[in-house]
Amino acid sequence: MTEAVQDVTGTRVQWPAVRPEVVAEVVAGLSARLQKRLDGAAAKLAERPVERTGEDWRIAVDEEAELVLHAPGGVVATSGDVRCGCLLAPACVHRAAAVTVCPLADGELPAAQAEPASADSEPPTSAPAPLAEGPQDDAPAAGTLGAAERAAVDQLHRVASAALAAGVGGTGAVLQAELLRAAHRARLAGLHRSAAAAVAVVTRVRAARSGEPDHRLADLVAGLRELLGLSTALSAAAAADTAGPGVAALRGTARQVYAPAGGLRLYGLFSEPVLTATHAGVLTWAVDAGGGLHTMAEIMPHTDAAAAAPQAVGAGNRAVRLGDAMLSHREFTRAGLAVQGATRSAAGRLGAGASVRAVRAAGAAWTAEPAARLWAEPPAAQVARALDAAALPPEVRPPGGELLFLDVTLLGAVPYGPGGEPSLLADCGGVVVALRAAHDHPGLAHRGNLALLATAPGLQLRVIGRLERSARPELRLLAVGEPPSTRPAEAPTPEPRPQDVRPPSLALPADRAGRVNLGLERLQTADLTLPPRDAAPPLTALPAGPLPPTAPVHLLSRRVEQTVTGGRAVLALGTGAARGDRARLRSAGLATGASLLEGLLGAAVDQRRDVFGRVVADDHEAFAAAWLAAAWYEEELASALCATAWSQEAPGNQL
């Protein structure tokens, strides 16, 4: 429902964003009768033509009434900015339907991609306006929860449990508004992590209900798991009346704070396009002289989903916002910067304040220091580090903790995995790794570059990618470069013999400095030196026989996902068919998983009934606790299986 539609002139106009608290306030003003009609009214309104005039978005509700959304900067900031000309306004269903259709201004944007504000720099235009912080009734001591926080946690947990029990299909506009209201209350109480998690859940629920192409069920499951996990941990801390740094970490912070970093000598590594439902741009990574990672971003809201990918690619040619440096993000990936008075957030983002000074300097090859030390860490240790980083909150996650720096040899595209889909495989120190595109959008260069690389089995590469947590080794490729030379510099190059077939190699132009940003730059056939087709080296043999079976974790994970999509009632219908699943889990040695599945199914059907046999509504707290236990077990088990898969001792990994 957040996609752009065409107005009467044929121009594509996208709905403006809306603050979450505005949605909660407008929907709360509806009568119970109109709330029942809200989902249908929102679906009809989403199909109406939209016309934009300056900062006003106009929608003709019917022949007599017009709906006007006043959105300075593209964001509806107050309920008064939503005006309707019908007789029932302001308590009409049209206003509530409009804010339901609009995307949320606090939309999901990963902390590694969101541009934070700092004390020494101007906030970017893409940053949402901060919420007005109201006075607190009590000022709790550091590390403890006050009365306002406890009430906010209770409300958030109750509404989140109701949303889980209802499933995606039952979490309509009214329940979404209740969750946004609870998120706003949590934010006013200083519980920023919980508030952000709740807004992210609503965003993902909307994507699931409207069938948006970038919807992933795994993301929605992770969002609900984080939200319920935070509220449960905060409730436990409140009940125990504990104090300590753990409570502060559960609270989170409103925005990242920049701290002085002094002088830095930076060497560009790579850039990656950023593409979300509301933002597009580029994120550039650099390494300092000590091997630490830093990021710089150029991310802006996009007004048209069709233009988002070109905007992300074009952002690579925009100037780096750091001092007086006159080079683009794409150029910086092959150059360097000398920075004075640098400021840096805990997540590694560099500030662009007026006191920062930066000048262009020489870059460094990936095979030279300080970049080379990133590849010196063993792959298994890098995977363990990435899994540990993924378990941390984004605001305290080590910069680049999710990145892997590997030397690989391409094996070619062959059927791989349970479904037998063709995958580009590579040998990484004896471990077979499936290489995936970092983003599947056709407007980005990822998929085309992987297709070209698949034509060069035997090609040795130095790569950067993100770990894909899977029971088999998988990596999302971000950048590739020339591998370190294996021949001593003083050794003479032997004359090639007629029967010799040289392996494929990169033949990049000099201006690319031996590396390619796979999302921003397209490889050409001329960039690869390939042997003649009839003289190509044979594909390195994979392990003989079928790949070893994996643990049947899906027997538990599909019930966890089924709860999110269908809700408690749908899960309760499948309790009889799940008896075999519990037996299979126990036979595979996953007795804890079998017990958790049994507890989840038991909680689904454990509902009181009145004398007429009708189900009596409850708070779903016991059911949410059972689901959360199963979801966290699945999360930890998946991480353990992923770490084992990257071990050279894992069966079936060796070539």
Side-chain angles (χ1 to χ4, degrees):
M1 291 190 297
T2 61
E3 293 185 356
V5 297
Q6 291 188 351
D7 65 6
V8 293
T9 65
T11 304
R12 291 177 62 85
V13 179
Q14 190 176 25
W15 289 83
V18 60
R19 298 292 303 171
E21 64 272 17
V22 174
V23 180
E25 180 181 352
V26 173
V27 174
L30 291 180
S31 64
R33 179 179 62 86
L34 291 179
Q35 285 184 352
K36 296 179 181 179
R37 297 172 47 192
L38 179 55
D39 289 322
K44 292 180 180 179
L45 191 64
E47 299 175 355
R48 303 293 297 173
V50 183
E51 181 181 359
R52 178 178 179 180
T53 305
E55 294 181 342
D56 290 338
W57 277 254
R58 300 180 182 276
I59 307 96
V61 177
D62 51 38
E63 296 180 355
E64 299 180 356
E66 183 182 53
L67 189 66
V68 180
L69 304 178
H70 181 63
V75 178
V76 179
T78 66
S79 60
D81 292 334
V82 185
R83 303 186 298 271
C84 183
C86 72
L87 296 177
L88 293 179
C92 64
V93 73
H94 306 132
R95 297 176 68 244
V99 297
T100 300
V101 172
C102 292
L104 296 176
D106 271 355
E108 178 190 352
L109 190 64
Q113 300 170 358
E115 180 75 23
S118 63
D120 66 337
S121 63
E122 293 295 328
T125 56
S126 62
L131 284 172
E133 297 289 342
Q136 301 299 317
D137 295 332
D138 57 333
T144 62
L145 293 178
E149 292 175 315
R150 298 184 186 194
V153 168
D154 291 342
Q155 180 183 5
L156 196 59
H157 187 79
R158 182 174 63 256
V159 180
S161 299
L164 174 68
V168 170
T171 307
V174 175
L175 188 52
Q176 293 173 27
E178 291 182 10
L179 193 53
L180 293 177
R181 186 182 302 109
H184 182 51
R185 184 176 183 181
R187 181 165 296 167
L188 292 178
L191 304 176
H192 302 288
R193 278 189 65 189
S194 299
V199 173
V201 166
V202 174
T203 301
R204 291 166 178 168
V205 167
R206 288 185 172 188
R209 290 174 62 89
S210 59
E212 293 183 8
D214 58 348
H215 163 65
R216 294 179 69 243
L217 180 57
D219 292 338
L220 181 54
V221 172
L224 277 168
R225 183 182 63 240
E226 180 184 7
L227 176 58
L228 287 170
L230 283 171
S231 60
T232 300
L234 286 168
S235 298
D241 198 18
T242 58
V247 175
L250 292 174
R251 280 197 185 100
T253 57
R255 55 177 56 188
Q256 299 187 54
V257 179
Y258 282 58
L264 293 174
R265 179 64 169 92
L266 301 177
Y267 303 86
L269 279 176
F270 74 99
S271 289
E272 58 175 312
V274 175
L275 196 61
T276 70
T278 56
H279 290 70
V282 67
L283 185 70
T284 300
W285 294 81
V287 60
D288 60 27
L293 295 177
H294 308 261
T295 60
M296 291 165 284
E298 186 67 35
I299 302 173
M300 302 289 289
H302 60 75
T303 57
D304 187 352
Q311 176 180 325
V313 175
N317 296 323
R318 302 188 66 174
V320 172
R321 293 191 298 163
L322 198 65
D324 299 325
M326 299 300 295
L327 75 168
S328 67
H329 284 264
R330 198 191 307 264
E331 291 173 330
F332 176 60
T333 61
R334 299 170 174 94
L337 285 174
V339 186
Q340 294 295 329
T343 57
R344 182 176 180 272
S345 71
R349 180 65 53 84
L350 293 173
S355 61
V356 180
R357 298 288 182 267
V359 295
R360 184 167 183 165
W366 284 1
T367 55
E369 293 295 338
R373 72 184 63 180
L374 299 173
W375 278 265
E377 187 179 9
Q382 293 191 49
V383 171
R385 180 248 302 155
L387 292 173
D388 291 342
L392 297 175
E395 60 270 17
V396 298
R397 191 173 298 164
E402 76 281 8
L403 299 179
L404 301 186
F405 303 86
L406 306 175
D407 290 312
V408 302
T409 301
L410 300 185
L411 302 176
V414 297
Y416 184 73
E421 300 88 356
S423 301
L424 176 57
L425 302 187
D427 170 25
C428 178
V431 177
V432 179
V433 181
L435 304 179
R436 310 289 190 193
H439 203 294
D440 291 329
H441 196 286
L444 302 178
H446 290 291
R447 294 197 303 181
N449 287 335
L450 247 67
L452 183 58
L453 291 174
T455 65
L459 178 63
Q460 295 182 356
L461 293 172
R462 177 156 276 194
V463 304
I464 303 176
R466 278 194 175 86
L467 174 67
E468 180 75 4
R469 198 184 62 180
S470 171
R472 292 184 172 88
E474 295 185 10
L475 185 71
R476 297 280 179 178
L477 274 188
L478 298 169
V480 300
E482 296 174 351
S485 175
T486 57
R487 187 184 304 278
E490 65 276 5
T493 302
E495 291 293 332
R497 294 175 298 176
Q499 67 272 21
D500 289 341
V501 178
R502 292 186 177 181
S505 61
L506 286 178
L508 299 174
D511 60 350
R512 289 200 174 183
R515 67 193 74 167
V516 179
N517 301 304
L518 292 180
L520 301 176
E521 302 161 346
R522 294 190 181 274
L523 280 168
Q524 306 296 328
T525 305
D527 296 331
L528 300 176
T529 301
L530 301 176
R533 188 178 299 272
D534 56 352
L539 180 66
T540 303
L542 293 178
L547 292 170
T550 58
V553 188
H554 67 281
L555 299 176
L556 177 62
S557 62
R558 69 182 181 184
R559 300 298 179 181
V560 171
E561 294 175 349
Q562 184 184 37
T563 304
V564 174
T565 55
R568 181 176 183 176
V570 172
L571 184 66
L573 296 176
T575 54
R579 295 177 181 175
D581 294 345
R582 298 195 293 269
R584 287 185 59 189
L585 286 171
R586 287 194 175 91
S587 63
L590 302 177
T592 302
S595 299
L596 291 173
L597 177 58
E598 186 174 2
L600 175 61
L601 296 173
V605 300
D606 186 17
Q607 290 187 282
R608 295 185 298 107
R609 296 179 180 271
D610 60 16
V611 293
F612 299 103
R614 296 172 299 191
V615 174
V616 178
D618 59 14
D619 57 6
H620 307 290
E621 184 174 349
F623 174 71
W627 181 88
L628 183 61
W632 273 119
Y633 173 82
E634 177 202 357
E635 174 79 1
E636 296 297 328
L637 184 58
S639 297
L641 291 174
C642 179
T644 303
W646 281 83
S647 172
Q648 291 187 353
E649 289 74 23
N653 272 354
Q654 299 83 6
L655 289 173

